[in-house]
């Protein structure tokens, strides 16, 4: 049930406003309503680890997402779980997660290490598949960007 609701949240055009509310729900000065919605959804979504991770990524709660991915080592990894991870990685390439993909460019942001940790953690969980190759390619691009950023800082 949670898996289905999560997919609806991530894909239904009718829920654009809810996704926008979630995206800002954990920022300083966020409305109490947004924070309450995230808390309510998170307590329900926790019954499905991949749905909880998708919610954290949607709400830009990257530190929590990183902690969740780390805790996946305690989860019984089944074919169904891996299929959910594969679907989430496919959704990361959709317009819903455009903001997340653009945040990967901001290598100096405080959230960047947690976001990368979350995505690399997902990559390490996945068997090699088309979704694995897609995520691996995206993260390789970010690694190149980080290396270029470090090189330009040392030249200054």
């Amino acid at each position: 049930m949670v898996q289905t609701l999560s997919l609806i949240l991530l894909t239904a055009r009718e829920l654009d406003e809810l996704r926008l509310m979630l995206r800002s729900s954990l920022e300083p000065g966020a409305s109490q309503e947004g924070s309450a919605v995230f808390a309510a959804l998170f307590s329900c979504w926790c019954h499905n680890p991949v749905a909880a991770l998708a919610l954290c990524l949607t709400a830009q709660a990257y530190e929590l997402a990183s902690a969740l991915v780390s805790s996946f080592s305690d989860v019984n990894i089944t074919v169904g779980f891996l299929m959910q991870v594969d679907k989430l990685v496919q959704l990361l390439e959709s317009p819903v997660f455009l903001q997340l993909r653009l945040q990967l460019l901001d290598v100096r942001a405080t959230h960047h290490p947690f976001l990368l940790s979350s995505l690399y953690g997902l990559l390490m969980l996945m068997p090699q598949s088309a979704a694995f190759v897609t995520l691996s390619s995206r993260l390789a691009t970010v690694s190149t960007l980080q290396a270029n950023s470090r090189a330009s800082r040392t030249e200054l």
Side-chain angles (χ1 to χ4, degrees), residues 38-82:
F38 176 80
L41 286 176
F42 187 77
S43 67
C44 296
W45 264 223
C46 279
H47 295 284
N48 182 301
V50 179
L53 176 61
L55 179 65
C56 289
L57 294 175
T58 301
Q60 300 178 21
Y62 301 132
E63 190 168 354
L64 182 55
S66 178
L68 274 173
V69 171
S70 294
S71 73
F72 284 175
S73 64
D74 299 330
V75 173
N76 184 22
I77 305 295
T78 63
V79 172
F81 177 88
L82 292 174

Side-chain angles (χ1 to χ4, degrees), residues 122-139:
L122 278 180
L123 189 65
M124 295 302 110
L125 286 170
M126 298 176 68
Q128 295 202 9
S129 64
F132 176 92
V133 171
T134 300
L135 183 56
S136 180
S137 174
R138 181 155 315 270
L139 291 174

Side-chain angles (χ1 to χ4, degrees), residues 16-27:
D16 283 345
E17 286 183 39
L18 179 58
R19 285 190 297 273
L20 283 173
M21 178 192 294
L22 286 169
R23 203 169 284 139
S24 64
S25 66
L26 301 176
E27 293 177 356

